Amino acid sequence: LGRSLNDDVLTCFMTNPAMTIAEIASPSYSGGAVLDPEIYNSPRFCYVPVISVDPSTGGSSHYSITDIRPCFITSEANESSYNSQLFTDGTPDTTMNGTDIQSNKVVSMHVVFFNKKALPAAGAAQAGVILDPNGPLVPVLSD
């Protein structure tokens, strides 16, 4: 369709070459920021809202957002680290990197969630990106 696909990988934003995705994805991760501030400018970086109830079992269409979790669209394996870039399908390339596209449609996406403590607290971000995940939750509408 004449569009290019961004092939950023999460590990290219890691500042510690010994750190793995599994380490920063751990809920008990207690280290400091190990991701470069440039991650905020990647179209593969996003925040996902967390709600307190499973919407498939509720009768309401109104749910409270209790937290936000940072994530990255990639198919890198948990044992990947800077420069290793291992992919879950066993291939060393980024051809589809987290997306399954069939008949010009995105069928599925693979998302890696990671601990917000791994994010830098500041950086030059595009409009609409929350730079401090530990600060107040601010609703941002984007087009």
Side-chain angles (χ1 to χ4, degrees):
L1 297 177
R3 305 217 186 249
S4 61
L5 179 67
N6 172 283
D7 276 338
D8 286 349
V9 290
L10 179 57
T11 55
C12 74
F13 295 102
M14 291 183 160
T15 58
N16 179 346
M19 188 70 59
T20 64
I21 289 176
E23 290 175 85
I24 66 169
S26 171
S28 61
Y29 176 75
S30 60
V34 292
L35 295 168
D36 188 278
E38 283 298 313
I39 193 170
Y40 293 121
N41 291 321
S42 174
R44 290 178 170 266
F45 170 76
C46 51
Y47 284 106
V48 173
V50 176
I51 55 177
S52 60
V53 297
D54 179 355
S56 66
T57 61
S60 173
S61 59
H62 303 283
Y63 299 98
S64 297
I65 296 173
T66 59
D67 197 6
I68 56 172
R69 302 269 165 83
C71 62
F72 200 86
I73 301 167
T74 187
S75 57
E76 287 182 285
N78 285 336
E79 59 272 11
S80 291
S81 61
Y82 187 79
N83 282 336
S84 74
Q85 296 176 357
L86 304 170
F87 292 86
T88 54
D89 64 1
T91 62
D93 64 49
T94 59
T95 306
M96 296 306 261
N97 189 20
T99 58
D100 180 7
I101 300 173
Q102 298 174 15
S103 301
N104 293 321
K105 295 179 184 177
V106 176
V107 176
S108 66
M109 295 171 67
H110 184 260
V111 179
V112 173
F113 288 92
F114 54 90
N115 195 304
K116 55 184 148 185
K117 292 178 184 173
L119 284 170
Q126 297 173 351
V129 176
I130 301 167
L131 285 181
D132 185 357
N134 298 311
L137 294 177
V138 179
V140 178
L141 300 177
S142 61
D143 194 346

